Amino acid sequence: MARRPLPRILSTGSAQIARSRELARTAADSATDVLHPLITITRGLGRLASAGGRKWADTPKDRRGPLLFLVASVILVVALVPYGPLLAVITLMTAAAWQGRDRTPPAPEGPDESQTQRLQSLYEALVPYFSTAEDPSPLYAHGGEWEKAFPAYEFDGSGRLSHLVIRYPAYFPDGEAEPRARIELLLTAKAGRGREYHFGWEEEGNELTVGVLAPLPTDLFAQRFVTAPGETVLGFTDPSGVQRTLPLTHGEELRDVPPVVWRTGVRSTEPHLLAVGQPGSGTSTLLRSIALQALQYGDVLIVEGGGTGEYSCLTGRDGVLGVEVGLAGAVAGLEWAAHETERRLISANRARQEGGQPPDDTKRPLWILLDRPTAFTHLAEADGREDPQALLQVPLRHGRAAAVTVVVAEQFDSLDLLSEAVRQHTRARVVLGPASTGQLKAVLGAPPHTTPVDQVPPGRGYARLGTGPVHRLQVPATPDPQDDATSDAHRQAVLDLLPPRTAPADAETTPADTGRTPPDAGPTPSGPEAPPAAPATSPSDPETASSDPETTKSLPVPVEAAVAD
């Protein structure tokens, strides 16, 4: 599929330079084809002159005189013979053309002995899967010819397969996941482990194309991406997977990279995201990258269950409503988020009933980022308090209509502790780090068309948006700038993206602590005042949410009826 680059706001001239280079390269190739005989003769004359010079240098000084006399005599005889000069020129040009010919040995046709043995071994390994006793003319048989089964193949410099086209019989169940998985596993073992392969099944033509994928770039760091409001770059993928590119700066170099763009907002079909990975796989890096992009257009509330201080650099920043690391703060912050979602729905519904537009404070995006929320589950059970995940039901269920987006990051070992609401409403999925095919299918809903490898760099994984295809993903490096192990270049890149501080880090209070948006937190994202402290029960219960008389006056319709979904 052809890539369609985004229009650039600032013209850098790189596209014009690339086109100029392509035109110059095409003109040079055409000129080389036209002038090839002249180039060959010129190269041959040079080689003849070099050979004559070496012959003259090797001749002893006492023999150079007779040699010059002999050469002069030959030239005189040739000049006196009829048509002698013409014949001499033709002879010289012929000798020059012979000497100037391309002496590069031609590439061998067909595979060599080791490659033939590798293809024959792969053919024999596929016989039990692509043959049956009832087939009168089997394509795969022990001792058969692999040339009919493998119409195209390529090897890399190390002698391993880099591209292979496999024909298989029509009765093979290529529409079932398990038989295809067995074939892919076998090809991965036979073609060489440690690499990532792409499998393209063409059911109509009964062909399987196996290709080796190049590693995704790991030197891309956080920066301002050329995206529209409501678009978030999760990472970067293969050029054939998407139809657009983003211009990125890498030092002084500017290059176009295909991104995985997640769209949120009222018209999004995947309004919430779930990221799963192993410890150290890069899920916190992904959340920091999303937070830095979300702060350009909205407000962010962060709840960290790990307690490692991964997001302390965002504390007190403009647009950051709070960074909660304790159980009490997490519960209070999520209660405020649930009430804020209800307030936005009611305000928007009242405005529509009056024939007007929703207020601006209901349109400003609100992001709720949770890193390892299951860590609070055990603490809440021990303390006899409500699980904070229960407070996510309203933002998850009605967040799309209220411009509220929820992003949850969790580890594989605690995946079973996620609530049903989180599992049901997070349709955008990301898996980072090493994972088996079963784990990928369980989280993403579909297996990838590539083979996962055991050793991957941080931030490498897969992404799937709703029911779309599974993309390979590399998250841009967005480390914690307060980490001592962070390089100076990456630390400065993150610091350049952080919004200015509006409150000291030690004196920063969250909206959940005061029951209202702090006055020094920049533009008010959620109205003049947030709801008061939440009751002990979940705000997702309409009866409980409207039990107060004053609150009941401001709730003309239930929350369920206020959702314009």
Side-chain angles (χ1 to χ4, degrees), residues 401-415:
V404 178
T405 303
V406 179
V407 180
V408 179
E410 193 51 74
Q411 297 180 2
F412 275 109
D413 54 359
S414 303
L415 196 59

Side-chain angles (χ1 to χ4, degrees), residues 177-494:
E178 293 184 1
R180 291 170 58 158
R182 288 196 296 266
I183 297 298
E184 293 175 359
L185 181 61
L186 173 64
L187 293 175
T188 302
K190 291 297 182 180
R193 299 183 182 272
R195 299 185 297 176
E196 199 165 1
Y197 297 90
H198 178 269
F199 298 95
W201 292 86
E202 186 183 353
E203 291 85 352
E204 295 181 357
N206 297 324
E207 285 188 354
L208 170 61
T209 302
V210 184
V212 178
L213 295 174
L216 295 177
T218 58
D219 55 351
L220 301 176
F221 52 86
Q223 53 190 280
R224 287 286 179 235
F225 304 120
V226 184
T227 55
E231 292 184 343
T232 303
V233 177
L234 300 179
F236 305 96
T237 184
D238 300 302
S240 60
V242 294
Q243 301 183 12
R244 61 186 288 185
T245 58
L246 287 182
L248 299 182
T249 57
H250 184 263
E252 298 181 354
E253 179 186 359
L254 183 65
R255 54 181 174 176
D256 294 332
V257 183
V260 177
V261 178
W262 173 39
R263 294 175 178 85
T264 57
V266 178
R267 294 178 176 85
S268 173
T269 57
E270 305 89 21
H272 309 294
L273 181 138
L274 172 63
V276 184
Q278 301 288 353
S281 59
T283 54
S284 299
T285 298
L286 175 61
L287 259 64
R288 271 191 299 269
S289 177
I290 294 176
L292 293 177
Q293 298 179 63
L295 288 173
Q296 298 182 73
Y297 310 105
D299 302 302
V300 175
L301 173 63
I302 300 176
V303 176
E304 181 188 359
T308 57
E310 293 278 350
Y311 309 93
S312 58
C313 60
L314 297 171
T315 304
R317 301 285 179 175
D318 185 13
V320 180
L321 303 180
V323 180
E324 303 294 350
V325 295
L327 176 60
V331 172
L334 295 180
E335 284 180 350
W336 175 87
H339 283 295
E340 173 63 13
T341 304
E342 294 176 351
R343 185 198 67 81
R344 292 187 176 203
L345 292 173
I346 296 170
S347 299
N349 181 70
R350 184 183 293 113
R352 294 190 185 96
Q353 290 179 352
E354 296 175 356
Q357 294 293 329
D360 294 338
D361 60 349
T362 63
K363 298 179 181 179
R364 183 172 174 83
L366 173 61
W367 292 72
I368 306 174
L369 309 182
L370 300 96
D371 193 351
R372 297 194 63 189
T374 58
F376 295 116
T377 302
H378 301 289
L379 297 177
E381 292 179 357
D383 200 18
R385 307 185 64 173
E386 184 181 15
D387 187 359
Q389 294 188 67
L391 303 173
L392 292 174
Q393 184 175 359
V394 173
L396 286 170
R397 187 173 183 180
H398 307 300
R400 185 167 69 97
V404 178
T405 303
V406 179
V407 180
V408 179
E410 193 51 74
Q411 297 180 2
F412 275 109
D413 54 359
S414 303
L415 196 59
D416 296 337
L417 299 179
L418 289 176
S419 64
E420 185 63 26
V422 174
R423 295 171 177 271
Q424 181 179 359
H425 296 286
T426 52
R427 293 174 48 83
R429 299 292 181 90
V430 174
V431 177
L432 299 179
S436 63
T437 305
Q439 290 176 327
L440 292 174
K441 185 177 180 181
V443 177
L444 301 177
H449 293 288
T450 61
T451 54
V453 294
D454 297 333
Q455 302 294 331
V456 293
R460 177 70 58 80
Y462 297 90
R464 189 187 187 203
L465 304 179
T467 58
V470 180
H471 299 284
R472 287 203 307 166
L473 182 71
Q474 177 62 52
V475 179
T478 315
D480 182 9
Q482 300 179 2
D483 189 359
D484 296 336
T486 303
S487 63
D488 295 337
H490 289 172
R491 178 183 293 107
Q492 189 60 41
V494 175

